[in-house]
């Protein structure tokens, strides 16, 4: 088990990531997560709709797309 309970938000480095949220793959607190969700709404991967929520995390998107051009 990863040490989810000590995760700090990777955006504000101030709030902790709620454990339930961290287990879903999020690395941001609720506040930053809300902001992120709005910002990446148009970049959701066109995959299985049941996995929709998983792809709102920019880090996950990077992992899914190893051919990124940056
Ligand atoms: Zn935050």
């Amino acid at each position: 088990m990863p040490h989810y309970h000590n995760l700090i938000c990777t955006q504000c480095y101030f709030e902790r990531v709620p454990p339930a949220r961290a287990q879903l793959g999020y690395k941001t607190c609720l506040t930053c997560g809300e902001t992120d969700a709005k910002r990446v709404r148009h970049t959701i991967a066109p995959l299985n709709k049941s996995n929709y929520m998983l792809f709102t995390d920019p880090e996950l998107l990077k992992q899914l797309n190893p051919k990124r051009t940056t």
Side-chain angles (χ1 to χ4, degrees):
M1 275 290 282
H3 298 280
Y4 287 125
H5 57 282
N6 275 335
L7 267 189
I8 299 294
C9 173
T10 56
Q11 291 230 1
C12 63
Y13 295 99
F14 179 70
E15 295 190 57
R16 286 192 181 178
V17 182
R21 196 170 157 71
Q23 284 174 19
L24 290 175
Y26 289 99
K27 299 182 179 67
T28 55
C29 66
L30 283 174
T31 308
C32 294
E34 284 290 310
T35 308
D36 251 13
K38 288 169 189 166
R39 185 167 47 208
V40 302
R41 184 174 296 163
H42 302 294
T43 63
I44 292 168
L47 299 175
N48 191 334
K49 280 182 181 175
S50 66
N51 290 332
Y52 179 94
M53 291 300 293
L54 293 177
F55 303 117
T56 58
D57 185 333
E59 290 302 316
L60 278 175
L61 277 174
K62 287 180 203 168
Q63 290 167 21
L64 285 170
N65 185 15
K67 293 187 292 185
R68 63 183 185 272
T69 54
T70 48

